[in-house]
Amino acid sequence: MINIPIDSINQIRNLLEKAKSVLIVTGTKPDMDAISATLSLYLALSSTGKQVTVASPSQITVEFNRLVGVDKIIQTVNGSTGKNLIISFPYQEGSIEKVSYNIDNNIFNLVIEPREGYKLITPDDIKYSHSGGVTDVIFAINTSKLPDLENIYSENQTLFNSSPVINIDTSPENTQYGKVNIIETNMSSTSELIISLFSQLGINLDQDISSNLLAGIIYGSKNFTSPKTNAATFESAAICLRNGAKKINETIVNIPLTNSIPQTQDKQPKPVQFSVPFSKTSKPLSFKPQGKQTFNQFPPKNKAVPFSPKPNQVQQQSQQQNDKSAQTPSDWLKPKIYKGSTLL
């Protein structure tokens, strides 16, 4: 885990203490980490008795169906809970002459006067909707910029401009648009960041929250193989497991959990094909030498002839021995006594 700046923690704590209604949003095409972090925050804040709405502009696919609370995600925040009534109908440039209202017997009448020559507005053309529900604080998860929220932002810009936004993300492309910005680009997942936030806010983890966060950590860290994976990543995963997290491997898609090595299959030797058809009456094949085999034989060894030196060689050898004896001193073999004037 990391230590989020204490100023940011105090701001979030003060906002949550005053808030009764909370909106949690995540951007378009969210991944497992974004949905896991979003739902974990939803479960944690809902347990405190607050009215929490969670939304994403993208349709939630089946890969997230094992996350707890996934059925609570909506695609638009326009609904009966909004306080602003919106009256919509097809419009052509220059077709409206004047818009006014009057009150008659406590009835509010909105008067739309079309310009001459243009089609009249019929009841079938009119649609009603609501927007701008009361929201005390907004959490934006894994959303680099507000337009990434698509219709959630475009249809509720007044809401986003009037409500404090807490921006939580790990992307270096985040534009720091929130009143409180918690951006940690060195973390492998936003789910880790949520664990640090819960720890410093004193929010306890239950089994459902822990299971969601563990799924986000596994996905964000690419099964703990991402270069951003460090000791804090394993520590966050351990916290989830200690709080009863269940592994939701079925929801972790596009991540190889093990490195598979292709195994070589032992090839069975093919039987030898003979050109002669084989049958029970066939005689076994045999190989016979053709013709008489001859080998080269070594010639017989000659008998050794005794060596006898010639007379001249004997005379030369005896003369050499006499010369050596004449040169050798007679006392050569006698012991010698050294005489000198100094002693060593």
Side-chain angles (χ1 to χ4, degrees):
M1 295 189 300
I2 65 164
N3 288 323
I4 300 172
I6 190 63
D7 292 341
S8 298
I9 293 297
N10 289 336
Q11 289 184 68
I12 295 174
R13 181 179 286 110
N14 293 334
L15 290 172
L16 289 178
E17 287 177 353
K18 299 175 183 178
K20 295 181 180 179
S21 177
V22 179
L23 173 63
I24 306 173
V25 293
T26 188
T28 183
K29 296 180 180 179
D31 59 14
M32 178 65 67
D33 180 34
I35 295 296
S36 298
T38 299
L39 290 178
S40 298
L41 186 59
Y42 164 78
L43 294 174
L45 296 181
S46 297
S47 65
T48 63
K50 300 184 184 300
Q51 180 182 352
V52 184
T53 302
V54 56
S56 171
S58 298
Q59 185 71 30
I60 302 303
T61 55
V62 68
E63 64 186 284
F64 306 111
N65 64 351
R66 290 186 177 271
L67 294 176
V68 181
V70 68
D71 58 316
K72 303 299 182 181
I73 300 177
I74 59 177
Q75 278 67 58
T76 176
V77 296
N78 296 338
S80 59
T81 57
K83 64 179 181 179
N84 299 330
L85 173 64
I86 300 176
I87 301 174
S88 306
F89 54 85
Y91 172 73
Q92 184 179 355
E93 184 67 29
S95 62
I96 302 299
E97 180 69 30
K98 183 174 62 175
V99 178
S100 61
Y101 74 92
N102 61 70
I103 300 175
D104 185 14
N105 294 328
N106 295 326
I107 300 297
F108 182 91
N109 299 306
L110 180 66
V111 181
I112 302 173
E113 181 181 346
R115 185 167 292 176
E116 291 185 5
Y118 288 89
K119 180 183 177 181
L120 296 178
I121 301 172
T122 65
D124 294 337
D125 296 330
I126 298 176
K127 295 181 180 180
Y128 304 94
S129 62
H130 292 79
S131 68
V134 177
T135 299
D136 298 316
V137 63
I138 300 173
F139 282 87
I141 308 298
N142 273 26
T143 305
S144 297
K145 52 186 181 297
L146 288 176
D148 290 345
L149 296 171
E150 296 183 350
N151 63 292
I152 294 177
Y153 174 69
S154 62
E155 296 174 1
N156 299 276
Q157 293 190 31
T158 302
L159 174 65
F160 279 86
N161 292 333
S162 60
S163 302
V165 178
I166 300 173
N167 176 22
I168 301 177
D169 197 4
T170 57
S171 172
E173 299 177 358
N174 193 283
T175 56
Q176 307 274 339
Y177 52 81
K179 180 177 181 179
V180 181
N181 297 290
I182 303 178
I183 314 299
E184 293 292 339
T185 59
N186 292 325
M187 301 194 78
S188 63
S189 67
T190 304
S191 296
E192 294 178 56
L193 195 52
I194 294 295
I195 291 178
S196 298
L197 177 65
F198 286 172
S199 175
Q200 293 182 249
L201 289 176
I203 298 176
N204 296 325
L205 304 182
D206 59 17
Q207 187 179 59
D208 292 340
I209 296 174
S210 300
S211 298
N212 285 354
L213 290 173
L214 181 60
I217 292 172
I218 293 174
Y219 184 93
S221 65
K222 294 180 174 59
N223 200 28
F224 304 101
T225 62
S226 168
K228 294 183 179 181
T229 300
N230 52 31
T233 308
F234 290 97
E235 181 183 1
S236 298
I239 291 173
C240 294
L241 292 172
R242 282 197 294 267
N243 284 276
K246 295 181 179 179
K247 294 183 180 180
I248 316 177
N249 291 337
E250 292 84 350
T251 64
I252 312 301
V253 294
N254 299 327
I255 298 180
L257 296 181
T258 57
N259 294 326
S260 59
I261 301 176
Q263 297 180 354
T264 58
Q265 296 181 354
D266 296 334
K267 295 183 178 180
Q268 297 294 334
K270 296 182 179 180
V272 179
Q273 300 292 333
F274 296 99
S275 59
V276 180
F278 179 78
S279 64
K280 294 182 179 180
T281 58
S282 300
K283 295 181 180 180
L285 298 176
S286 61
F287 297 93
K288 296 181 180 180
Q290 297 179 358
K292 186 177 181 180
Q293 301 292 329
T294 59
F295 301 93
N296 293 329
Q297 296 180 356
F298 292 102
K301 295 182 179 180
N302 296 327
K303 294 182 179 180
V305 179
F307 175 76
S308 57
K310 296 180 180 181
N312 293 335
Q313 293 178 349
V314 175
Q315 184 177 2
Q316 290 178 358
Q317 290 178 358
S318 61
Q319 185 176 357
Q320 290 176 357
Q321 292 178 358
N322 293 333
D323 293 341
K324 290 181 180 180
S325 60
Q327 295 176 359
T328 303
S330 59
D331 60 348
W332 176 256
L333 298 177
K334 294 182 180 181
K336 306 295 189 299
I337 299 175
Y338 175 78
K339 296 180 181 181
S341 59
T342 59
L343 296 175
L344 296 177

